[in-house]
Amino acid sequence: MIELYWKNATSQVIGPDHGITPGELSGLGDRMAAAQRAVDGQVRQGKLGYTTLPARRDYRDGVAALVAKLRPWCGDLVVLGIGGSALGNIALQTALNPITYNLQSDASRGGPRLFVLDNVDPTLLKDTLSLLSRRLNKTVFNVISKSGETAETASQFMIIRELLRDRLGNEFSKHIVATTDAEKGTLNKIARQDGYEMLIVPGDVGGRFSVLSQVGLFSAAMCGIDIDALLAGAAAMADRCTAADWTSNPACMLAAVQFLAYTTKGKPMHVMMPYSNRLYLLADWYRQLWAESLGKAVHRNGQPAFVGPTPIKALGTTDQHSQVQLYREGPNDKLVIFVEVEKHPEEVRIPEVFAEAPGLAYLAKQKMSKLLNAEKIATEYALAKSQRPSVTIRWPAITPENVGAFIYLYEYTTSLMGELLDIDAYDQPAVELGKQATFALMGRQGFEEVAKEMRPFIKPDKKYLL
Ligand code: PA5
């Protein structure tokens, strides 16, 4: 079971200027209770689709049936998607499969290699396709787009479809799985016309909350991840997140610490720092969840808000040698969220050599995981000594259950944060504006007015060009 440890964010450890005092915490009680009631109410009214995902046997069974059909012949799986249609897939794969997964032989992997193309960098696409060129007859492309029209994903899909048609003729459609809205949208229409296998992005689940839907489950199950355990872990965390006493509810406490750090302690930067390479890209997933959900210009009554803590990712120990100098001695404007693993998936013992060198000898016979976790405590201590708050999310081990629990914990915490900040945590108007501006620049019909407004941005003013 993953646990939240928050003592190092309190005034008891780092003083009242930067640490949360007992009074501030109890003062939040009514507001937190209201946030809990509001989120619970939305769950009961069926408004928060993501909360139903751990129990959706139909989605899980649909994925399992498709995996049974495709996995026996699929050597490479390529996800085409971006944002919420890619970051969860990447996080699940890196957390739960070996770091060298794609480099292993077909036999030792047991499932396809996985490539997630979440950018329209032509070099990324070209390099990947030239790697796969001789294996296209064993490749499955999973195009994921809730809207079905995101330019990045659409352009990749158009290129891949043509390539497959050209190389595989009538068989091409067997190599595409479309994950999109069940009923509407351009991708849905094309998928039906071309006869692709289809999976669903539920209409009531936003992109960044969709990793536990068929969006994330398919690539995970194809690559051998135990999706039942993943969902079971999320379900167990869902239970813990309904605890009425908010001080023993991990989502409420996490929201309380992050909210108070942000609003009363001058900590607008929230750094997630896993001490595990496997968990590093969960911090990328968190960045999107937090940024798109909480970075909002208006409150729900339309009044200006301009709120949202800035989520940052860092990797321990790597970033101790890059970022921690700033975190400890720069502006005291950060809350660090450590992610710590008690038992790492692999262990390495340091050999007993260089006994004559005291600068190295102390490391002899020690476990590398002990060194990694000691460095985490060292950073925590160094930060606390200069009144920098931190919390730790402790994982006993990296298992699908704990990944599912972590995902659900952060999703539910995001909902509570949305209530506490009084903003709509489920829209993303700035992302939509960017999408529309891209349509305009690329000449899509109906976006001429936006294109007109953008003219000064298209042609640089030479006066400012050096
Ligand atoms: O969370 C979100 O809503 C966004 O990040 C989307 O996932 C992203 O823009 C991709 O959208 P779509 O799945 O419609 O292609």
Side-chain angles (χ1 to χ4, degrees):
M1 187 166 83
I2 64 175
E3 289 172 327
L4 171 71
Y5 183 69
W6 55 280
K7 184 176 179 186
N8 292 320
T10 64
S11 55
Q12 195 188 332
V13 178
I14 57 170
D17 288 348
H18 298 284
I20 297 165
T21 64
E24 284 162 344
L25 203 59
S26 58
L28 190 65
D30 288 349
R31 217 160 151 187
M32 185 59 80
Q36 271 184 297
R37 273 197 306 277
V39 176
D40 284 354
Q42 289 154 16
V43 172
R44 271 198 304 278
Q45 289 161 30
K47 287 186 180 159
L48 297 186
Y50 79 85
T51 60
T52 65
L53 295 175
R56 288 296 298 249
R57 293 303 299 179
D58 50 343
Y59 292 160
R60 178 258 171 234
D61 290 348
V63 164
L66 188 55
V67 168
K69 200 164 156 185
L70 300 181
R71 202 163 184 254
W73 61 264
C74 176
D76 293 298
L77 173 63
V78 184
V79 169
L80 311 176
I82 197 161
S85 295
L87 289 167
N89 304 66
I90 297 170
L92 293 182
Q93 175 71 357
T94 51
L96 292 169
N97 269 325
I99 289 165
T100 53
Y101 177 86
N102 271 7
L103 301 174
Q104 294 178 359
S105 67
D106 289 353
S108 63
R109 274 194 327 270
R113 293 186 295 185
L114 179 67
F115 302 89
V116 181
L117 305 187
D118 64 342
N119 200 357
V120 278
D121 183 334
T123 312
L124 173 70
L125 185 62
K126 198 99 190 240
D127 284 356
T128 311
L129 290 181
S130 55
L131 182 76
L132 301 177
S133 171
R134 296 220 184 114
R135 297 167 54 111
L136 281 182
N137 60 338
K138 287 181 164 189
T139 304
V140 171
F141 292 88
N142 178 205
V143 49
I144 309 178
S145 180
K146 180 170 171 153
S147 65
E149 292 189 350
T150 302
E152 291 90 337
T153 309
S155 61
Q156 291 174 333
F157 165 61
M158 289 157 83
I159 294 161
I160 300 293
R161 181 179 180 274
E162 278 315 281
L163 176 74
L164 291 176
R165 272 164 62 101
D166 184 46
R167 295 277 299 278
L168 305 177
N170 289 340
E171 293 285 290
F172 90 98
S173 60
K174 294 198 181 112
H175 293 259
I176 301 178
V177 173
T179 307
T180 191
D181 190 276
E183 275 139 33
K184 58 181 194 305
T186 307
L187 182 58
N188 175 295
K189 202 166 148 203
I190 295 170
R192 286 180 196 284
Q193 275 165 6
D194 279 357
Y196 311 149
E197 295 284 359
M198 287 182 74
L199 294 169
I200 292 167
V201 189
D204 58 356
V205 178
R208 57 190 172 275
F209 290 86
S210 69
V211 54
L212 298 177
S213 76
Q214 294 185 330
V215 169
L217 295 184
F218 175 65
S219 60
M222 283 289 281
C223 295
I225 290 169
D226 182 347
I227 58 171
D228 290 326
L230 186 75
L231 295 172
M237 179 55 77
D239 274 353
R240 291 176 67 196
C241 292
T242 54
D245 169 17
W246 73 272
T247 56
S248 60
N249 177 323
C252 290
M253 276 315 299
L254 187 56
V257 173
Q258 295 207 226
F259 177 74
L260 289 172
Y262 176 62
T263 53
T264 68
K265 300 292 163 188
K267 308 286 175 270
M269 318 274 175
H270 292 195
V271 182
M272 183 172 285
M273 189 167 186
Y275 273 68
S276 157
N277 281 60
R278 285 267 196 107
L279 300 185
Y280 185 34
L281 296 181
L282 268 171
D284 232 4
W285 169 84
Y286 147 81
R287 264 185 347 141
Q288 188 216 10
L289 181 70
W290 214 244
E292 282 191 0
S293 303
L294 305 179
K296 295 292 152 71
V298 288
H299 289 296
R300 285 176 292 198
N301 64 5
Q303 291 299 307
F306 300 109
V307 292
T310 301
I312 297 169
K313 67 172 178 184
L315 174 65
T317 66
T318 307
D319 284 320
Q320 281 180 220
H321 303 269
S322 160
Q323 299 296 295
V324 168
Q325 173 64 32
L326 170 74
Y327 297 173
R328 179 160 193 241
E329 294 191 6
N332 193 343
D333 58 359
K334 294 171 194 68
L335 167 73
V336 176
I337 303 137
F338 291 111
V339 179
E340 182 186 48
V341 179
E342 200 180 313
K343 189 173 178 338
H344 288 264
E346 302 294 343
E347 189 54 271
V348 178
R349 213 173 260 280
I350 303 164
E352 199 175 3
V353 287
F354 305 125
E356 69 293 352
L360 304 180
Y362 70 96
L363 291 170
K365 294 204 284 190
Q366 308 240 40
K367 289 177 181 167
M368 213 162 204
S369 65
K370 183 178 173 195
L371 176 61
L372 181 60
N373 288 353
E375 299 224 31
K376 180 260 167 184
I377 295 171
T379 307
E380 195 176 22
Y381 157 80
L383 292 177
K385 284 247 325 170
S386 48
Q387 294 79 50
R388 316 286 155 134
S390 70
V391 297
T392 296
I393 301 177
R394 284 197 178 139
W395 296 44
I398 302 178
T399 61
E401 287 86 349
N402 287 337
V403 171
F406 180 87
I407 286 170
Y408 196 92
L409 170 66
Y410 252 100
E411 289 177 340
Y412 206 83
T413 302
T414 304
S415 292
L416 292 168
M417 281 291 282
E419 290 300 321
L420 293 171
L421 292 168
D422 186 22
I423 45 102
D424 182 344
Y426 309 103
D427 66 357
Q428 55 283 323
V431 181
E432 303 306 336
L433 183 64
K435 287 185 181 183
Q436 287 174 18
T438 305
F439 294 153
L441 288 175
M442 296 300 282
R444 180 171 169 176
Q445 238 185 3
F447 293 83
E448 294 77 6
E449 277 309 305
V450 186
K452 215 189 279 172
E453 206 179 298
M454 292 180 73
R455 257 183 220 146
F457 293 88
I458 300 167
K459 211 168 171 308
D461 185 338
K462 290 220 168 76
K463 206 171 119 195
Y464 296 89
L465 199 61
L466 299 173

mmCIF file of all heavy atoms in Angstrom, residues 412-450:
data_model
loop_
_atom_site.group_PDB
_atom_site.id
_atom_site.type_symbol
_atom_site.label_atom_id
_atom_site.label_comp_id
_atom_site.label_asym_id
_atom_site.label_seq_id
_atom_site.Cartn_x
_atom_site.Cartn_y
_atom_site.Cartn_z
ATOM 1 N N TYR A 412 -7.859 11.836 -7.983
ATOM 2 C CA TYR A 412 -8.850 12.271 -6.986
ATOM 3 C C TYR A 412 -8.371 13.545 -6.284
ATOM 4 O O TYR A 412 -9.161 14.456 -6.009
ATOM 5 C CB TYR A 412 -9.097 11.148 -5.974
ATOM 6 C CG TYR A 412 -10.457 11.224 -5.328
ATOM 7 C CD1 TYR A 412 -11.577 10.711 -5.965
ATOM 8 C CD2 TYR A 412 -10.624 11.825 -4.082
ATOM 9 C CE1 TYR A 412 -12.833 10.782 -5.386
ATOM 10 C CE2 TYR A 412 -11.876 11.902 -3.488
ATOM 11 C CZ TYR A 412 -12.972 11.391 -4.143
ATOM 12 O OH TYR A 412 -14.216 11.474 -3.562
ATOM 13 N N THR A 413 -7.058 13.602 -6.031
ATOM 14 C CA THR A 413 -6.498 14.808 -5.404
ATOM 15 C C THR A 413 -6.706 16.015 -6.318
ATOM 16 O O THR A 413 -6.990 17.124 -5.858
ATOM 17 C CB THR A 413 -4.988 14.601 -5.126
ATOM 18 O OG1 THR A 413 -4.845 13.462 -4.285
ATOM 19 C CG2 THR A 413 -4.375 15.799 -4.435
ATOM 20 N N THR A 414 -6.594 15.785 -7.614
ATOM 21 C CA THR A 414 -6.813 16.867 -8.587
ATOM 22 C C THR A 414 -8.255 17.361 -8.507
ATOM 23 O O THR A 414 -8.511 18.577 -8.560
ATOM 24 C CB THR A 414 -6.477 16.361 -10.008
ATOM 25 O OG1 THR A 414 -5.142 15.867 -10.004
ATOM 26 C CG2 THR A 414 -6.611 17.460 -11.043
ATOM 27 N N SER A 415 -9.184 16.428 -8.375
ATOM 28 C CA SER A 415 -10.596 16.840 -8.243
ATOM 29 C C SER A 415 -10.788 17.700 -6.999
ATOM 30 O O SER A 415 -11.470 18.738 -7.028
ATOM 31 C CB SER A 415 -11.511 15.614 -8.155
ATOM 32 O OG SER A 415 -11.528 14.936 -9.376
ATOM 33 N N LEU A 416 -10.177 17.267 -5.884
ATOM 34 C CA LEU A 416 -10.302 18.050 -4.636
ATOM 35 C C LEU A 416 -9.644 19.419 -4.799
ATOM 36 O O LEU A 416 -10.189 20.438 -4.349
ATOM 37 C CB LEU A 416 -9.661 17.290 -3.474
ATOM 38 C CG LEU A 416 -10.372 16.005 -3.034
ATOM 39 C CD1 LEU A 416 -9.484 15.201 -2.085
ATOM 40 C CD2 LEU A 416 -11.709 16.327 -2.353
ATOM 41 N N MET A 417 -8.491 19.449 -5.444
ATOM 42 C CA MET A 417 -7.804 20.731 -5.660
ATOM 43 C C MET A 417 -8.673 21.669 -6.504
ATOM 44 O O MET A 417 -8.711 22.875 -6.273
ATOM 45 C CB MET A 417 -6.459 20.513 -6.371
ATOM 46 C CG MET A 417 -5.348 20.052 -5.478
ATOM 47 S SD MET A 417 -4.773 21.310 -4.296
ATOM 48 C CE MET A 417 -3.749 22.342 -5.323
ATOM 49 N N GLY A 418 -9.343 21.099 -7.490
ATOM 50 C CA GLY A 418 -10.240 21.907 -8.325
ATOM 51 C C GLY A 418 -11.310 22.577 -7.475
ATOM 52 O O GLY A 418 -11.624 23.764 -7.643
ATOM 53 N N GLU A 419 -11.852 21.799 -6.514
ATOM 54 C CA GLU A 419 -12.866 22.368 -5.611
ATOM 55 C C GLU A 419 -12.253 23.440 -4.716
ATOM 56 O O GLU A 419 -12.822 24.518 -4.540
ATOM 57 C CB GLU A 419 -13.485 21.270 -4.742
ATOM 58 C CG GLU A 419 -14.363 20.309 -5.491
ATOM 59 C CD GLU A 419 -15.536 20.992 -6.175
ATOM 60 O OE1 GLU A 419 -16.133 21.923 -5.594
ATOM 61 O OE2 GLU A 419 -15.832 20.599 -7.324
ATOM 62 N N LEU A 420 -11.096 23.131 -4.138
ATOM 63 C CA LEU A 420 -10.474 24.093 -3.211
ATOM 64 C C LEU A 420 -10.121 25.396 -3.926
ATOM 65 O O LEU A 420 -10.249 26.485 -3.366
ATOM 66 C CB LEU A 420 -9.218 23.484 -2.579
ATOM 67 C CG LEU A 420 -9.444 22.296 -1.634
ATOM 68 C CD1 LEU A 420 -8.113 21.650 -1.249
ATOM 69 C CD2 LEU A 420 -10.200 22.734 -0.374
ATOM 70 N N LEU A 421 -9.692 25.288 -5.181
ATOM 71 C CA LEU A 421 -9.328 26.499 -5.933
ATOM 72 C C LEU A 421 -10.549 27.122 -6.606
ATOM 73 O O LEU A 421 -10.448 28.202 -7.211
ATOM 74 C CB LEU A 421 -8.278 26.156 -7.000
ATOM 75 C CG LEU A 421 -6.891 25.744 -6.485
ATOM 76 C CD1 LEU A 421 -6.044 25.160 -7.615
ATOM 77 C CD2 LEU A 421 -6.169 26.925 -5.846
ATOM 78 N N ASP A 422 -11.678 26.409 -6.532
ATOM 79 C CA ASP A 422 -12.923 26.846 -7.151
ATOM 80 C C ASP A 422 -12.752 27.135 -8.644
ATOM 81 O O ASP A 422 -13.065 28.220 -9.134
ATOM 82 C CB ASP A 422 -13.464 28.103 -6.415
ATOM 83 C CG ASP A 422 -14.833 28.510 -6.943
ATOM 84 O OD1 ASP A 422 -15.514 27.636 -7.515
ATOM 85 O OD2 ASP A 422 -15.197 29.704 -6.811
ATOM 86 N N ILE A 423 -12.231 26.137 -9.325
ATOM 87 C CA ILE A 423 -12.096 26.264 -10.788
ATOM 88 C C ILE A 423 -12.630 24.978 -11.434
ATOM 89 O O ILE A 423 -12.857 23.982 -10.746
ATOM 90 C CB ILE A 423 -10.621 26.490 -11.214
ATOM 91 C CG1 ILE A 423 -9.670 25.535 -10.464
ATOM 92 C CG2 ILE A 423 -10.174 27.912 -10.949
ATOM 93 C CD1 ILE A 423 -9.196 24.393 -11.216
ATOM 94 N N ASP A 424 -12.828 25.025 -12.735
ATOM 95 C CA ASP A 424 -13.242 23.836 -13.464
ATOM 96 C C ASP A 424 -11.982 23.037 -13.800
ATOM 97 O O ASP A 424 -11.178 23.455 -14.635
ATOM 98 C CB ASP A 424 -13.978 24.243 -14.747
ATOM 99 C CG ASP A 424 -14.478 23.036 -15.531
ATOM 100 O OD1 ASP A 424 -14.014 21.909 -15.254
ATOM 101 O OD2 ASP A 424 -15.331 23.222 -16.413
ATOM 102 N N ALA A 425 -11.838 21.887 -13.122
ATOM 103 C CA ALA A 425 -10.601 21.102 -13.321
ATOM 104 C C ALA A 425 -10.678 20.212 -14.554
ATOM 105 O O ALA A 425 -9.730 19.491 -14.848
ATOM 106 C CB ALA A 425 -10.341 20.250 -12.078
ATOM 107 N N TYR A 426 -11.780 20.271 -15.265
ATOM 108 C CA TYR A 426 -11.970 19.281 -16.338
ATOM 109 C C TYR A 426 -11.971 19.876 -17.742
ATOM 110 O O TYR A 426 -12.112 19.150 -18.718
ATOM 111 C CB TYR A 426 -13.261 18.486 -16.083
ATOM 112 C CG TYR A 426 -13.266 17.950 -14.670
ATOM 113 C CD1 TYR A 426 -14.038 18.560 -13.659
ATOM 114 C CD2 TYR A 426 -12.423 16.897 -14.312
ATOM 115 C CE1 TYR A 426 -13.984 18.102 -12.352
ATOM 116 C CE2 TYR A 426 -12.366 16.439 -12.997
ATOM 117 C CZ TYR A 426 -13.150 17.050 -12.027
ATOM 118 O OH TYR A 426 -13.076 16.600 -10.728
ATOM 119 N N ASP A 427 -11.867 21.211 -17.840
ATOM 120 C CA ASP A 427 -11.776 21.775 -19.194
ATOM 121 C C ASP A 427 -10.319 22.142 -19.483
ATOM 122 O O ASP A 427 -9.448 22.017 -18.629
ATOM 123 C CB ASP A 427 -12.726 22.971 -19.363
ATOM 124 C CG ASP A 427 -12.324 24.150 -18.482
ATOM 125 O OD1 ASP A 427 -11.347 24.024 -17.699
ATOM 126 O OD2 ASP A 427 -12.976 25.196 -18.553
ATOM 127 N N GLN A 428 -10.048 22.580 -20.702
ATOM 128 C CA GLN A 428 -8.684 22.947 -21.082
ATOM 129 C C GLN A 428 -8.740 23.973 -22.214
ATOM 130 O O GLN A 428 -8.275 23.707 -23.318
ATOM 131 C CB GLN A 428 -7.841 21.723 -21.467
ATOM 132 C CG GLN A 428 -8.385 20.800 -22.561
ATOM 133 C CD GLN A 428 -9.478 19.900 -22.090
ATOM 134 O OE1 GLN A 428 -9.475 19.405 -20.976
ATOM 135 N NE2 GLN A 428 -10.488 19.708 -22.930
ATOM 136 N N PRO A 429 -9.341 25.152 -21.922
ATOM 137 C CA PRO A 429 -9.525 26.128 -22.997
ATOM 138 C C PRO A 429 -8.227 26.562 -23.678
ATOM 139 O O PRO A 429 -8.223 26.824 -24.886
ATOM 140 C CB PRO A 429 -10.192 27.323 -22.302
ATOM 141 C CG PRO A 429 -10.198 27.034 -20.853
ATOM 142 C CD PRO A 429 -9.916 25.596 -20.638
ATOM 143 N N ALA A 430 -7.127 26.603 -22.923
ATOM 144 C CA ALA A 430 -5.875 27.053 -23.543
ATOM 145 C C ALA A 430 -5.361 26.013 -24.541
ATOM 146 O O ALA A 430 -4.810 26.368 -25.591
ATOM 147 C CB ALA A 430 -4.823 27.315 -22.465
ATOM 148 N N VAL A 431 -5.575 24.742 -24.210
ATOM 149 C CA VAL A 431 -5.157 23.679 -25.142
ATOM 150 C C VAL A 431 -5.998 23.783 -26.412
ATOM 151 O O VAL A 431 -5.498 23.684 -27.531
ATOM 152 C CB VAL A 431 -5.333 22.282 -24.493
ATOM 153 C CG1 VAL A 431 -4.888 21.176 -25.435
ATOM 154 C CG2 VAL A 431 -4.561 22.195 -23.183
ATOM 155 N N GLU A 432 -7.298 24.024 -26.217
ATOM 156 C CA GLU A 432 -8.201 24.115 -27.371
ATOM 157 C C GLU A 432 -7.819 25.298 -28.247
ATOM 158 O O GLU A 432 -7.857 25.219 -29.480
ATOM 159 C CB GLU A 432 -9.677 24.254 -26.924
ATOM 160 C CG GLU A 432 -10.185 23.141 -26.012
ATOM 161 C CD GLU A 432 -9.992 21.721 -26.561
ATOM 162 O OE1 GLU A 432 -9.899 21.566 -27.788
ATOM 163 O OE2 GLU A 432 -9.891 20.786 -25.744
ATOM 164 N N LEU A 433 -7.453 26.426 -27.612
ATOM 165 C CA LEU A 433 -7.060 27.603 -28.391
ATOM 166 C C LEU A 433 -5.833 27.285 -29.252
ATOM 167 O O LEU A 433 -5.766 27.642 -30.429
ATOM 168 C CB LEU A 433 -6.754 28.782 -27.446
ATOM 169 C CG LEU A 433 -6.392 30.086 -28.159
ATOM 170 C CD1 LEU A 433 -7.569 30.612 -28.978
ATOM 171 C CD2 LEU A 433 -5.936 31.149 -27.164
ATOM 172 N N GLY A 434 -4.877 26.586 -28.641
ATOM 173 C CA GLY A 434 -3.679 26.182 -29.390
ATOM 174 C C GLY A 434 -4.052 25.296 -30.573
ATOM 175 O O GLY A 434 -3.500 25.427 -31.667
ATOM 176 N N LYS A 435 -5.025 24.404 -30.353
ATOM 177 C CA LYS A 435 -5.452 23.514 -31.438
ATOM 178 C C LYS A 435 -6.074 24.326 -32.574
ATOM 179 O O LYS A 435 -5.802 24.101 -33.752
ATOM 180 C CB LYS A 435 -6.460 22.482 -30.923
ATOM 181 C CG LYS A 435 -5.826 21.400 -30.043
ATOM 182 C CD LYS A 435 -6.842 20.326 -29.660
ATOM 183 C CE LYS A 435 -6.202 19.273 -28.762
ATOM 184 N NZ LYS A 435 -7.071 18.164 -28.387
ATOM 185 N N GLN A 436 -6.898 25.311 -32.181
ATOM 186 C CA GLN A 436 -7.564 26.117 -33.207
ATOM 187 C C GLN A 436 -6.567 26.975 -33.979
ATOM 188 O O GLN A 436 -6.671 27.115 -35.203
ATOM 189 C CB GLN A 436 -8.620 27.002 -32.554
ATOM 190 C CG GLN A 436 -9.807 26.173 -32.135
ATOM 191 C CD GLN A 436 -10.829 26.952 -31.359
ATOM 192 O OE1 GLN A 436 -10.830 28.180 -31.402
ATOM 193 N NE2 GLN A 436 -11.675 26.257 -30.653
ATOM 194 N N ALA A 437 -5.597 27.530 -33.258
ATOM 195 C CA ALA A 437 -4.584 28.357 -33.924
ATOM 196 C C ALA A 437 -3.787 27.502 -34.913
ATOM 197 O O ALA A 437 -3.437 27.955 -36.012
ATOM 198 C CB ALA A 437 -3.669 28.994 -32.887
ATOM 199 N N THR A 438 -3.525 26.260 -34.539
ATOM 200 C CA THR A 438 -2.813 25.349 -35.456
ATOM 201 C C THR A 438 -3.669 25.075 -36.695
ATOM 202 O O THR A 438 -3.160 25.119 -37.829
ATOM 203 C CB THR A 438 -2.475 24.017 -34.746
ATOM 204 O OG1 THR A 438 -1.741 24.327 -33.573
ATOM 205 C CG2 THR A 438 -1.650 23.102 -35.630
ATOM 206 N N PHE A 439 -4.953 24.818 -36.474
ATOM 207 C CA PHE A 439 -5.842 24.605 -37.626
ATOM 208 C C PHE A 439 -5.762 25.812 -38.556
ATOM 209 O O PHE A 439 -5.656 25.675 -39.779
ATOM 210 C CB PHE A 439 -7.311 24.442 -37.178
ATOM 211 C CG PHE A 439 -7.592 23.199 -36.368
ATOM 212 C CD1 PHE A 439 -8.642 23.175 -35.442
ATOM 213 C CD2 PHE A 439 -6.826 22.049 -36.534
ATOM 214 C CE1 PHE A 439 -8.917 22.029 -34.697
ATOM 215 C CE2 PHE A 439 -7.089 20.900 -35.784
ATOM 216 C CZ PHE A 439 -8.139 20.889 -34.865
ATOM 217 N N ALA A 440 -5.817 27.014 -37.964
ATOM 218 C CA ALA A 440 -5.796 28.242 -38.780
ATOM 219 C C ALA A 440 -4.492 28.338 -39.572
ATOM 220 O O ALA A 440 -4.518 28.595 -40.778
ATOM 221 C CB ALA A 440 -5.953 29.459 -37.865
ATOM 222 N N LEU A 441 -3.383 28.102 -38.916
ATOM 223 C CA LEU A 441 -2.082 28.227 -39.600
ATOM 224 C C LEU A 441 -1.909 27.186 -40.698
ATOM 225 O O LEU A 441 -1.227 27.422 -41.691
ATOM 226 C CB LEU A 441 -0.934 28.052 -38.587
ATOM 227 C CG LEU A 441 -0.723 29.198 -37.610
ATOM 228 C CD1 LEU A 441 0.349 28.833 -36.598
ATOM 229 C CD2 LEU A 441 -0.323 30.473 -38.347
ATOM 230 N N MET A 442 -2.541 26.040 -40.500
ATOM 231 C CA MET A 442 -2.382 24.972 -41.492
ATOM 232 C C MET A 442 -3.483 25.026 -42.557
ATOM 233 O O MET A 442 -3.615 24.109 -43.373
ATOM 234 C CB MET A 442 -2.391 23.595 -40.785
ATOM 235 C CG MET A 442 -1.229 23.383 -39.828
ATOM 236 S SD MET A 442 0.399 23.488 -40.596
ATOM 237 C CE MET A 442 0.516 21.891 -41.406
ATOM 238 N N GLY A 443 -4.284 26.104 -42.526
ATOM 239 C CA GLY A 443 -5.240 26.350 -43.608
ATOM 240 C C GLY A 443 -6.554 25.606 -43.510
ATOM 241 O O GLY A 443 -7.231 25.408 -44.512
ATOM 242 N N ARG A 444 -6.960 25.180 -42.321
ATOM 243 C CA ARG A 444 -8.237 24.480 -42.206
ATOM 244 C C ARG A 444 -9.401 25.440 -42.411
ATOM 245 O O ARG A 444 -9.404 26.555 -41.862
ATOM 246 C CB ARG A 444 -8.331 23.801 -40.827
ATOM 247 C CG ARG A 444 -9.622 23.060 -40.625
ATOM 248 C CD ARG A 444 -9.601 22.231 -39.375
ATOM 249 N NE ARG A 444 -10.949 21.741 -39.089
ATOM 250 C CZ ARG A 444 -11.265 20.928 -38.105
ATOM 251 N NH1 ARG A 444 -10.322 20.480 -37.301
ATOM 252 N NH2 ARG A 444 -12.520 20.539 -37.911
ATOM 253 N N GLN A 445 -10.372 24.972 -43.188
ATOM 254 C CA GLN A 445 -11.547 25.798 -43.464
ATOM 255 C C GLN A 445 -12.315 26.117 -42.190
ATOM 256 O O GLN A 445 -12.417 25.259 -41.308
ATOM 257 C CB GLN A 445 -12.469 25.051 -44.417
ATOM 258 C CG GLN A 445 -12.718 25.830 -45.683
ATOM 259 C CD GLN A 445 -13.720 25.130 -46.561
ATOM 260 O OE1 GLN A 445 -14.273 24.100 -46.219
ATOM 261 N NE2 GLN A 445 -13.964 25.719 -47.716
ATOM 262 N N GLY A 446 -12.816 27.341 -42.106
ATOM 263 C CA GLY A 446 -13.594 27.734 -40.941
ATOM 264 C C GLY A 446 -12.757 28.447 -39.888
ATOM 265 O O GLY A 446 -13.292 28.906 -38.888
ATOM 266 N N PHE A 447 -11.447 28.531 -40.106
ATOM 267 C CA PHE A 447 -10.572 29.171 -39.116
ATOM 268 C C PHE A 447 -9.867 30.400 -39.703
ATOM 269 O O PHE A 447 -8.819 30.815 -39.235
ATOM 270 C CB PHE A 447 -9.555 28.149 -38.559
ATOM 271 C CG PHE A 447 -10.208 27.073 -37.754
ATOM 272 C CD1 PHE A 447 -10.762 25.964 -38.384
ATOM 273 C CD2 PHE A 447 -10.346 27.205 -36.385
ATOM 274 C CE1 PHE A 447 -11.414 24.984 -37.644
ATOM 275 C CE2 PHE A 447 -10.988 26.226 -35.636
ATOM 276 C CZ PHE A 447 -11.525 25.114 -36.265
ATOM 277 N N GLU A 448 -10.502 31.004 -40.738
ATOM 278 C CA GLU A 448 -9.895 32.137 -41.441
ATOM 279 C C GLU A 448 -9.736 33.343 -40.522
ATOM 280 O O GLU A 448 -8.728 34.055 -40.591
ATOM 281 C CB GLU A 448 -10.732 32.540 -42.674
ATOM 282 C CG GLU A 448 -10.780 31.486 -43.777
ATOM 283 C CD GLU A 448 -11.727 30.323 -43.470
ATOM 284 O OE1 GLU A 448 -12.448 30.386 -42.448
ATOM 285 O OE2 GLU A 448 -11.738 29.343 -44.239
ATOM 286 N N GLU A 449 -10.723 33.565 -39.650
ATOM 287 C CA GLU A 449 -10.652 34.736 -38.759
ATOM 288 C C GLU A 449 -9.459 34.614 -37.804
ATOM 289 O O GLU A 449 -8.732 35.569 -37.564
ATOM 290 C CB GLU A 449 -11.955 34.850 -37.939
ATOM 291 C CG GLU A 449 -13.085 35.538 -38.665
ATOM 292 C CD GLU A 449 -12.680 36.889 -39.272
ATOM 293 O OE1 GLU A 449 -12.173 37.743 -38.516
ATOM 294 O OE2 GLU A 449 -12.838 37.066 -40.503
ATOM 295 N N VAL A 450 -9.269 33.418 -37.258
ATOM 296 C CA VAL A 450 -8.137 33.187 -36.351
ATOM 297 C C VAL A 450 -6.840 33.433 -37.123
ATOM 298 O O VAL A 450 -5.904 34.075 -36.637
ATOM 299 C CB VAL A 450 -8.147 31.752 -35.780
ATOM 300 C CG1 VAL A 450 -7.064 31.571 -34.735
ATOM 301 C CG2 VAL A 450 -9.503 31.396 -35.200
#
